[in-house]
Amino acid sequence: PKLQPNAKAGDCGACHGKEKVLPDSHPGTKAMNWKGCLGCHAKHGKMSLVGKISGSHIHQLQGVNCVGCHGKTKKPEEVAMAKCVACHGSTDALAQKTASVKPENPHTSPHYGTTLDCNLCHRQHAKSEDYCAQCHHFHFKTP
């Protein structure tokens, strides 16, 4: 896909061109935002988009385009963790929010506390991954 920093939220064709990214039966998305997606794709359940679309798509659908995270730069680089927590809350607040996740809280660990860089799990331009799965079998679903 060709990156279009100013593409509208649901305008898949702006970046993907004529590439088929959704099934033919999918409703039109040009005027859709993240809230519209959640009408069918609840955060949990078999139609959930968790782990199925990249974080950059979720951000775009919520009205946060490339410049919102990367700033105005000719060569975007990985976003610093400080930028993530500026919008998503402190790492301590994130750990409190996921305290009930079993078998372990993914936002705090005996190894890293709450300092593990967000980008190690939450990829924006690729499929996110469960960083802990290198050694553990917690089976986290990583958005």
Side-chain angles (χ1 to χ4, degrees), residues 10 22 25 31 67 77-78 80 82-83 87 118 120-121 137:
L22 297 170
S25 62
V67 174
E77 295 189 12
E78 187 173 276
K83 184 70 175 175
C87 294
C118 305
L120 292 173
C121 294
H137 301 287

Side-chain angles (χ1 to χ4, degrees), residues 60-71:
Q60 182 76 8
L61 286 161
Q62 290 179 331
V64 180
N65 64 15
C66 306
V67 174
C69 293
H70 293 284

